Amino acid sequence: MTNKASLKTFLARKELGIFGLLVLLCLMTSAQNPNFLRPENLQNMARLTGIYGIFSLGLAFVVITGGIDLSVGAVFALLGVAIAMLLERGTPPVMAVAITIGLGAAIGVLHGILVTKVKLQPFLVTLCGLLVYRGIARTIANDETKGFGMAKGFEWLPPISNSNTLGIPNTFWLLILVASVLWVVLHRSVFGRHLIAVGRSEDAARYAGINANSVIMKAYIICGVLTGVAAILLAFFTNTVGPATHGNSYELYGIAAAVLGGCSLRGGEGSIVGVVLGATLLRVLQNLVTLLHIPSSLEFAVTGAVIMAGVLTDEILRRRRKA
Amino acid sequence: MSGISKRYPGVVALNDVSLTVMPGEVVALLGENGAGKSTMMKILGGVVQPDSGVVTIGGTPAKPASPAAASKLGIAFVHQELSVLDNLDVAGNINLGREPSKLGMLDVPAMHAIASKATKRVGLDIHPTTPLSNLPIAHRQLIEIARALAQDAKILILDEPTSSLTPTETATLLDLIRELKSQGVAIVYITHRLGEVTAVADRAVVLRDGHNAGELAKTELTHDRMVATMVGRNISGDNSYVPRTPGEVILDVKDLTTLRHPMGKASFTLRAGEIVGMAGLVGAGRTELAEALFGITPAVTGTISLSGIPLSITSAQVAIANRLYLVPEDRRHHGLVVSLSIRENISLPDLANMQSGGLVNRAKEARVTQERANALTVKAPSVEMAAANLSGGNQQKVVLARWLALSPKVMIFDEPTRGIDVGAKDEIYKLIRALAADDVAVLVISSDMEEVLRISDRVLVLRNGEVTGSIPRCDATEESILRLAVHHD
């Protein structure tokens, strides 16, 4: 495969639209406010993009199965509280991290069982999860804000979220790593192929001898693990975890990133590069609202409008291709 | 309707086709699958628009631009697949889309009045509040017709209305058609059951490959004349049949029951190199049997032995591991993931052999799937084409290509040529015979009697989940099969 061809596959038609939109927004913002291109601003955006990108990718896997996970934000609160309390009690930091990610995986397993074995609808399962996890987080934290203080005994942990390597935030490096692995998993592995098949037509996949339940289960576990990783990064980024509000509505950003990145909510379609671009776009949008002095009360409206524009453009392009 | 033409990408569905129906007349529209019957009726029903040609109703040109517009013109379409909603009651279905209302609220008494009147016309004595889900299939079909009548249809299109009815129910429906005819309704009747045509039609219009192939008057509506006109030649016996001596028993099924027919125990054997047809009425449990053997919905009780070894087939993975494969009835939803390419569809169950370390070996996949597609002469510009864009025959070849490479021991075909045109049918038959020549045990489930008689070495007949007979080829006739397939009331 030549370089040109691989670049072409890398940025398939699907991602071109959102890539164009991203470039457009960046150009527009930097023209209006040169601060956009200042290293600190770019670093800050990249740091958050790293965190958002990681859990958006996890969500994307669930979306590709035709499912959805509404509980991500509540899981952030639960796991954020969990790691803070574990460290507070002097749990060895490596252990605390492992337990937190393990909890994320366990939540994925639970969702997977309820969806594949009990045959409940993913929307319902994770909607209940959203309420339950938030409630548990608030209860175990006594509704008190948890924090990491001076990080005594685990001084190496906060910098994973807050420092840079070679000028690039560590969270962004982590995103690159995660995205590269998942790119291979989704676009090159047998599991990825099975995932696409199951997401588009579970019946047809079963008739081809694919264990559809196991494929869907794995997608939920991937989502759980990545939510766990992002939960730790987010907790150290904010440095305090208020169980009632921490992570509120983050799942919607993840779903938006997945959809902007070319995942169909009907399942069976998705692109890793697209999702990363989608997550980046959402961060740039938030930055744009601040830098262009748009009233912050309008932030959600702007975000919503741009997502709608992106999805509409995609739909129009798709119809034109078909015709 | 005259001079109707309709083109789809790659195919001319209709080419200058004409059809007239008089009030109080029943015209049968005949033709093989793909002859253009459905397209013709979709145009009349406003579902699709013709590229050229005119529709005239009562002397005035009409343009059914949408199903709603067609309905206003007095055209009612009773579809082959039931399109009633089983979450509504009888009145809700009959009034669907035309609900009488007062200030935006449903006018329930009016709905009930309309429904009662319409159900009486189709000879059903049932309360308007009966939930559809409580009605047997035959009654649902009658509700569909009642719905059409409730809108004062002048032209009624019936598309295979009897395909899911028992003989008694069919007789009732035919009586109803005669009654409607005497009320002056113009009826277009589409069916593959030629006996019904003889019984009820005044005239038949035959389509073939999107052309008018001929018109038959009432006196000409004999089975042979109709078939000859549809096929364009006299069907002679299949001369290509070569008797084979089957080998040892490969598949041995004993007392197998399924969820659908918990009381019907199916027992039969398949031998190596033998093509066994499986006939039966709709609802006899043939597809359920196939899905039990393939592990999609595992059998409730009974034993399945492969080469003498009892197996517990709890999932398709087990069946596949034992080289028992199914070409399912529903190609578009079960046989293929139509949005994926030919390559991805062929390799889907065989990725384990095209991978290293969990990653797909794309070069090998491309090469192997191309070879398999070529071997079955799948007609497509490239294996990267989405399966959705293939013709029915080529889609079926893709499903077959997937399994042929995995050296089948037992192949089960469920309606292998449904929706496939005549030429491609022959190719599928050749492939099935080639499998048998390779000592594969083949089971072909089919509702197409001609097909069963043509390719089977032996015919099994299923009734209510039970194998009621095994007829050797030399004794198999439409009559001998039907006798075993129908209920003896």
Side-chain angles (χ1 to χ4, degrees):
Chain A
M1 209 184 270
T2 67
N3 246 351
K4 206 173 160 193
S6 65
L7 187 73
K8 226 167 129 190
T9 20
F10 202 65
L11 271 183
R13 281 168 306 183
K14 252 183 136 75
E15 292 108 31
L16 266 177
I18 175 148
F19 185 68
L21 189 60
L22 182 61
V23 170
L24 189 77
L25 285 178
C26 289
L27 287 177
M28 205 181 82
T29 319
S30 54
Q32 299 277 324
N33 188 337
N35 284 336
F36 180 78
L37 289 177
R38 284 178 55 176
E40 306 86 74
N41 187 52
L42 290 178
Q43 273 175 349
N44 198 28
M45 261 195 306
R47 186 175 327 282
L48 275 166
T49 300
I51 299 175
Y52 277 68
I54 289 172
F55 74 81
S56 298
L57 284 170
L59 243 162
F61 272 73
V62 167
V63 168
I64 293 171
T65 67
I68 202 152
D69 189 345
L70 297 176
S71 71
V72 169
V75 173
F76 283 159
L78 180 60
L79 298 188
V81 166
I83 192 164
M85 291 176 70
L86 283 167
L87 293 169
E88 200 175 78
R89 274 155 209 219
T91 314
V94 174
M95 184 87 95
V97 167
I99 292 175
T100 308
I101 295 176
L103 270 174
I107 288 172
V109 170
L110 178 68
H111 291 170
I113 290 174
L114 290 172
V115 169
T116 61
K117 302 285 181 203
V118 192
K119 303 272 171 218
L120 297 180
Q121 285 172 355
F123 190 98
L124 199 76
V125 168
T126 57
L127 178 66
C128 295
L130 178 157
L131 300 168
V132 171
Y133 307 140
R134 176 74 62 187
I136 297 177
R138 292 179 61 170
T139 309
I140 59 173
N142 254 334
D143 235 346
E144 285 163 10
T145 298
K146 296 283 170 190
F148 301 102
M150 301 304 293
K152 251 197 162 33
F154 50 94
E155 291 82 358
W156 57 275
L157 269 176
I160 297 179
S161 282
N162 303 320
S163 297
N164 309 326
T165 304
L166 303 176
I168 291 176
N170 293 330
T171 57
F172 198 78
W173 285 116
L174 210 55
L175 173 63
I176 292 173
L177 176 74
V178 168
S180 310
V181 172
L182 292 183
W183 188 86
V184 173
V185 168
L186 181 63
H187 299 299
R188 288 290 180 268
S189 81
V190 173
F191 166 71
R193 181 73 61 77
H194 286 178
L195 187 71
I196 298 280
V198 168
R200 181 42 58 93
S201 172
E202 196 177 326
D203 276 337
R206 282 170 67 222
Y207 277 82
I210 294 171
N211 187 341
N213 282 353
S214 135
V215 170
I216 294 172
M217 177 68 106
K218 283 176 193 155
Y220 278 94
I221 295 175
I222 289 173
C223 181
V225 167
L226 292 180
T227 305
V229 172
I232 296 172
L233 297 177
L234 184 68
F236 283 107
F237 176 78
T238 56
N239 204 40
T240 55
V241 179
T245 54
H246 186 77
N248 247 344
S249 75
Y250 273 42
E251 59 278 349
L252 301 183
Y253 285 109
I255 294 166
V259 172
L260 275 171
C263 297
S264 162
L265 287 179
R266 281 182 294 272
E269 276 173 62
S271 137
I272 297 297
V273 175
V275 176
V276 171
L277 289 174
T280 313
L281 183 84
L282 290 177
R283 295 330 307 155
V284 169
L285 264 181
Q286 204 188 31
N287 195 239
L288 168 154
V289 169
T290 320
L291 290 183
L292 300 190
H293 306 294
I294 298 172
S296 62
S297 48
L298 256 180
E299 184 194 329
F300 283 127
V302 171
T303 310
V306 172
I307 293 174
M308 184 52 84
V311 175
L312 273 178
T313 317
D314 187 51
E315 191 59 38
I316 290 165
L317 287 178
R318 185 182 319 212
R319 281 188 203 166
R320 187 164 296 174
R321 266 202 297 278
K322 260 188 192 160
Chain B
M1 301 176 81
S2 64
I4 304 283
S5 296
K6 175 74 189 173
R7 239 165 281 271
Y8 287 113
V11 277
V12 179
L14 291 173
N15 194 349
D16 195 16
V17 176
S18 301
L19 170 74
T20 52
V21 197
M22 311 297 287
E25 188 188 32
V26 179
V27 173
L29 185 58
L30 302 178
E32 294 193 279
N33 291 331
K37 292 170 303 195
S38 307
T39 310
M40 193 73 176
M41 289 306 104
K42 278 183 188 157
I43 287 168
L44 186 53
V47 182
V48 297
Q49 304 306 313
D51 296 334
S52 60
V54 284
V55 179
T56 317
I57 296 172
T60 45
K63 257 210 170 89
S66 67
S71 164
K72 281 220 181 71
L73 291 165
I75 302 165
F77 198 160
V78 177
H79 292 268
Q80 177 178 3
E81 291 96 25
L82 288 173
S83 54
V84 285
L85 302 178
D86 61 7
N87 55 348
L88 294 179
D89 63 9
V90 168
N93 269 289
I94 289 178
N95 291 286
L96 193 66
R98 296 182 305 272
E99 290 83 355
S101 61
K102 276 181 187 159
L103 301 171
M105 298 291 132
L106 288 177
D107 183 353
V108 175
M111 285 175 72
H112 286 184
I114 292 170
S116 297
K117 201 174 132 210
T119 47
K120 275 208 193 81
R121 271 182 86 186
V122 299
L124 269 184
D125 181 23
I126 101 184
H127 199 267
T129 56
T130 314
L132 249 270
S133 49
N134 289 0
L135 294 182
I137 297 288
H139 287 181
R140 294 186 198 188
Q141 188 79 61
L142 292 175
I143 295 293
E144 284 238 36
I145 297 172
R147 173 157 98 193
L149 296 178
Q151 50 178 303
D152 273 326
K154 291 193 291 264
I155 303 169
L156 184 61
I157 307 165
L158 297 166
D159 190 0
E160 303 247 15
T162 57
S163 58
S164 47
L165 302 189
T166 66
T168 332
E169 291 164 346
T170 302
T172 318
L173 182 75
L174 295 185
D175 283 340
L176 171 64
I177 290 173
R178 289 188 195 100
E179 167 65 25
L180 294 175
K181 182 183 141 174
S182 72
Q183 294 171 12
V185 179
I187 296 170
V188 181
Y189 194 81
I190 302 176
T191 187
H192 282 299
R193 301 188 171 181
L194 301 181
E196 292 168 11
V197 176
T198 314
V200 80
D202 299 307
R203 197 153 54 85
V205 171
V206 185
L207 301 187
R208 186 170 67 233
D209 303 328
H211 294 269
N212 279 98
E215 209 169 306
L216 299 170
K218 178 108 184 144
T219 50
E220 296 173 308
L221 294 179
T222 62
H223 185 273
D224 289 350
R225 269 308 284 280
M226 287 190 275
V227 172
T229 319
M230 277 159 65
V231 185
R233 60 189 146 89
N234 286 306
I235 290 193
S236 51
D238 187 5
N239 299 323
S240 59
Y241 181 73
V242 188
R244 277 181 303 270
T245 327
E248 65 198 59
V249 172
I250 297 280
L251 182 73
D252 188 354
V253 176
K254 279 207 180 73
D255 297 334
L256 184 137
T257 63
T258 57
L259 280 175
R260 168 118 180 220
H261 294 289
M263 304 310 288
K265 293 181 175 174
S267 302
F268 63 93
T269 57
L270 295 183
R271 293 170 173 276
E274 188 183 31
I275 301 175
V276 176
M278 179 168 274
L281 299 178
V282 170
R286 292 168 300 170
T287 294
E288 290 78 3
L289 179 68
E291 294 189 340
L293 293 175
F294 191 56
I296 293 292
T297 313
V300 178
T301 59
T303 54
I304 303 168
S305 308
L306 210 63
S307 306
I309 302 157
L311 288 179
S312 156
I313 302 184
T314 49
S315 70
Q317 287 101 281
V318 178
I320 291 170
N322 288 284
R323 289 157 52 200
L324 183 156
Y325 308 126
L326 170 69
V327 175
E329 178 181 10
D330 187 342
R331 268 191 304 281
R332 301 188 65 83
H333 297 107
H334 296 158
L336 299 164
V337 184
V338 288
S339 60
L340 294 185
S341 64
I342 298 171
R343 167 176 59 79
E344 290 163 314
N345 269 295
I346 292 180
S347 66
L348 200 52
D350 196 24
L351 284 172
N353 293 318
M354 301 177 185
Q355 54 100 31
S356 46
L359 299 190
V360 179
N361 180 339
R362 291 164 59 93
K364 184 174 178 189
E365 186 196 16
R367 179 169 46 79
V368 171
T369 52
Q370 182 73 58
E371 283 167 13
R372 291 178 190 173
N374 290 349
L376 296 191
T377 60
V378 174
K379 285 184 203 89
S382 139
V383 289
E384 296 306 321
M385 192 167 141
N389 300 333
L390 294 173
S391 70
N394 280 305
Q395 285 184 340
Q396 195 68 303
K397 285 184 193 170
V398 171
V399 182
L400 257 171
R402 161 194 286 190
W403 298 132
L404 290 192
L406 300 178
S407 7
K409 233 178 177 173
V410 180
M411 275 298 278
I412 302 170
F413 292 86
D414 194 356
E415 304 288 357
T417 62
R418 175 168 288 176
I420 289 177
D421 59 51
V422 184
K425 257 186 192 178
D426 281 335
E427 287 187 71
I428 301 282
Y429 294 150
K430 270 193 202 122
L431 289 167
I432 292 177
R433 292 212 178 91
L435 275 169
D438 275 346
D439 272 345
V440 176
V442 183
L443 182 68
V444 180
I445 296 171
S446 178
S447 298
D448 180 347
M449 207 59 107
E450 210 183 303
E451 173 168 294
V452 170
L453 294 173
R454 185 165 162 195
I455 62 164
S456 309
D457 297 319
R458 184 158 62 92
V459 180
L460 295 171
V461 184
L462 205 65
R463 182 177 74 212
N464 282 347
E466 195 176 331
V467 178
T468 51
S470 166
I471 315 171
R473 183 181 179 95
C474 52
D475 298 332
T477 60
E478 216 164 323
E479 289 75 35
S480 64
I481 292 172
L482 260 177
R483 217 173 299 131
L484 291 167
V486 298
H487 303 258
H488 301 283
D489 295 317

